[in-house]
Amino acid sequence: MLLNFTVKNYRSIRREQTFSMQATELVSHAETVMSQGRYRLLRSAVLYGANSSGKSNLIKAFGTMKQIVLGSIKLNPNELIPDYDPFLLCTGECGPTSFEVECLIEGVCYRYGFEYTSREIVAEWLYEELPSGRERELFSRQKEEELTFSTRYFPEAKVIKSIGCEANRLILSLSAQLSGIRSRALMAWFADCYVLSGLEYDGMKPSSTRNLEAQSETREGILRLFNRVALGFETIKLVRSSDPKEDNPEIPEEFTRWILDQGTSGQELATLHSVYDEEGEVAGQRPFLMEQMESEGTKKLIAFSGYIFEALKHGRVLWIDELDAKLHPLLTAEIIRLFMEDNAHGAQLIFSTHDTNLLDLSRFREDQIWFTQKNKRAETELYSLVEFKPEELAQIRQEEHVGSSYLLGRFGAIPYIKRED
């Protein structure tokens, strides 16, 4: 579970900004708060802001941290670290980019982060929290200093210190290669976090294909979702078009003949639609190949469904940029509902949107609503609705649906549109 994510000097984010999934002392919507030991965490959070305000950059920042963590060990000596993309709209030097996460793994809170340039890891650190609430340093690495570490709780660092660590590699990933227990747990946590784009989802179909292939809890959840939102088809099936009848004996013969006639290869997702007579009665079924015949919104929901239900099943963190793109507002609301109500394993949904229909205090707590806007230096600033003054929040709570107030600029984070005289 994610507690906090902090980023500095990445794309439009120059100064340190922290996004938090820790619940405040608000008493509203208690069902959206998960208790984990002494922590109270949110099941979901939403990001609003003008185009180019930095919403996507915050989500990209987490995705970049994940990719560097997972890919660091594969870098050759002196190879450039990918995705070094600092803030460029200032006269001074860019300096290193910094990422830090605080997360809960099996009840233990870890704080891990690093600073880097295109050529080297400038600093890296890992701490774990003790039952008392104090932190214990597991290791700390500075460019100009020796590696310090806990011999008892991070013993693999002794090997790393003796053999050395390339300047462009993370100690965390090297430690995981040496079977470090805590490092492997953190690496697995990053691997299990999903970062998706609501605008580019063509490559996401394999997840749904895999989850629809076999009878499972995830497959049943996906089919229930499709049935609930009434996308227009009766069911969806995975068809191996090399010999669909042999691989899919439950599919009607006319369906398999049609699949063969399409001349497709590999695996295809196909939807079965009812055919009606003149009186509106069901007279049969007709298959559609998803990629060729379904709407873009339907294809997006199908592509996302595997990640959504994998996250729900295993309690993972799911980041989605532009969740609402090509989806009806009620479909977006249904995805959010799954994380708010049908979430038994502690999954978390973090998404950006322009859909002000969702900006409603009957749906979200104030600490779930976040905004991005740029200051006069073109730097992204990140803040939550809960940070407004008490008297402002009291008036906001009376309104409940705050979408119109947001569009009027009451919370900032909207585009400035110049009017012609």
Side-chain angles (χ1 to χ4, degrees):
M1 295 180 182
L2 177 68
L3 279 70
N4 301 302
F5 173 57
T6 301
V7 53
K8 178 181 178 182
N9 194 26
Y10 178 80
R11 295 174 69 90
S12 65
I13 302 170
R14 183 186 182 190
R15 289 173 171 79
E16 185 174 279
Q17 303 292 317
T18 297
F19 172 81
S20 180
M21 289 294 283
Q22 291 187 260
T24 62
E25 297 304 315
L26 293 172
V27 296
S28 63
H29 298 297
E31 72 280 359
T32 69
V33 177
M34 304 177 289
S35 295
Q36 295 289 320
R38 71 183 189 87
Y39 291 101
R40 299 171 67 248
L41 302 177
L42 299 168
R43 297 179 187 273
S44 64
V46 57
L47 286 161
Y48 282 93
N51 295 103
S52 300
S53 65
K55 301 186 304 298
S56 298
N57 287 340
L58 177 70
I59 296 174
K60 286 178 185 291
F62 185 86
T64 296
M65 183 182 191
K66 170 182 173 176
Q67 292 305 317
I68 294 175
V69 167
L70 299 181
S72 171
I73 197 65
K74 302 173 186 176
L75 293 177
N76 295 317
N78 300 319
E79 186 176 351
L80 294 180
I81 300 172
D83 299 314
Y84 174 62
D85 197 359
F87 184 84
L88 297 176
L89 301 180
C90 62
T91 55
E93 294 184 5
C94 294
T97 292
S98 174
F99 298 133
E100 182 182 83
V101 295
E102 293 176 72
C103 59
L104 279 179
I105 302 175
E106 296 184 356
V108 178
C109 178
Y110 293 96
R111 180 167 65 89
Y112 171 72
F114 57 88
E115 298 178 2
Y116 72 104
T117 66
S118 62
R119 295 188 176 277
E120 62 182 342
I121 304 298
V122 177
E124 187 181 3
W125 57 92
L126 175 61
Y127 294 83
E128 70 176 357
E129 188 180 76
L130 301 173
S132 64
R134 294 175 54 249
E135 282 190 326
R136 171 167 52 214
E137 180 184 277
L138 297 178
F139 77 82
S140 179
R141 164 197 195 181
Q142 297 292 330
K143 177 182 175 182
E144 304 297 336
E145 301 175 9
E146 288 190 359
L147 168 67
T148 61
F149 59 95
S150 167
T151 305
R152 180 177 179 182
Y153 298 101
F154 206 79
E156 62 272 20
K158 187 174 182 179
V159 178
I160 294 172
K161 189 171 184 178
S162 65
I163 65 176
C165 181
E166 296 292 342
N168 61 346
R169 290 182 180 174
L170 293 172
I171 285 177
L172 184 78
S173 59
L174 182 54
S175 169
Q177 289 284 309
L178 296 171
S179 300
I181 296 173
R182 292 168 175 81
S183 298
R184 285 194 165 186
L186 266 168
M187 294 279 284
W189 183 85
F190 275 105
D192 285 342
C193 292
Y194 299 135
V195 183
L196 309 181
S197 168
L199 300 174
E200 302 171 3
Y201 49 86
D202 288 344
M204 299 177 192
K205 190 177 72 170
S207 174
S208 295
T209 301
R210 182 177 64 253
N211 283 294
L212 286 166
E213 189 169 11
Q215 293 292 334
S216 66
E217 177 186 340
T218 304
R219 180 179 185 273
E220 294 306 312
I222 292 173
L223 294 179
R224 281 197 303 272
L225 172 63
F226 295 160
N227 180 262
R228 184 180 176 92
V229 299
L231 294 174
F233 53 82
E234 303 304 317
T235 190
I236 183 169
K237 293 182 180 292
L238 174 66
V239 179
R240 296 182 182 87
S241 52
S242 57
D243 191 349
K245 185 60 180 176
E246 179 180 339
D247 290 334
N248 305 271
E250 78 284 3
I251 297 177
E253 185 176 350
E254 62 271 19
F255 191 177
T256 62
R257 286 201 306 269
W258 180 82
I259 291 290
L260 288 171
D261 289 343
Q262 305 308 302
T264 57
S265 59
Q267 298 184 131
E268 299 288 340
L269 287 174
T271 55
L272 264 65
H273 293 251
S274 293
V275 176
Y276 300 90
D277 61 21
E278 293 300 322
E279 283 71 39
E281 299 295 328
V282 176
Q285 289 185 320
R286 177 165 293 169
F288 285 1
L289 285 179
M290 185 195 75
E291 287 295 331
Q292 297 179 13
M293 304 181 75
E294 294 294 350
S295 72
E296 288 301 314
T298 296
K299 287 192 285 188
K300 173 179 174 176
L301 186 60
I302 291 172
F304 273 29
S305 63
Y307 293 95
I308 290 169
F309 284 93
E310 282 289 305
L312 289 168
K313 180 181 179 181
H314 299 290
R316 295 173 179 172
V317 182
L318 174 60
W319 298 73
I320 305 180
D321 188 23
E322 303 281 5
L323 170 61
D324 59 312
K326 300 181 181 179
L327 294 181
H328 189 280
L330 293 179
L331 293 186
T332 308
E334 177 61 18
I335 293 172
I336 297 167
R337 187 198 67 79
L338 289 171
F339 284 83
M340 301 280 256
E341 299 178 14
D342 298 347
N343 185 354
H345 303 290
Q348 293 172 299
L349 171 66
I350 304 158
F351 66 98
S352 69
T353 181
H354 292 289
D355 185 358
T356 56
N357 291 301
L358 302 173
L359 196 49
D360 191 329
L361 293 183
S362 67
R363 187 189 308 274
F364 291 113
R365 295 157 48 104
E366 291 91 327
D367 50 8
Q368 292 178 277
I369 299 171
W370 289 78
F371 301 101
T372 56
Q373 72 173 5
K374 286 186 176 177
N375 60 24
K376 64 180 181 180
R377 296 179 297 275
E379 304 166 353
T380 291
E381 294 179 335
L382 174 69
Y383 55 96
S384 171
L385 184 59
V386 80
E387 296 175 35
F388 283 71
K389 293 179 180 178
E391 57 270 23
E392 292 177 302
L393 285 177
Q395 186 174 351
I396 290 168
R397 288 176 184 131
Q398 290 179 356
E399 298 172 9
E400 196 168 88
H401 190 283
V402 296
S404 58
S405 295
Y406 166 67
L407 291 176
L408 290 172
R410 188 170 177 179
F411 316 125
I414 61 170
Y416 172 67
I417 301 176
K418 296 181 180 179
R419 305 296 183 186
E420 295 182 0
D421 296 333

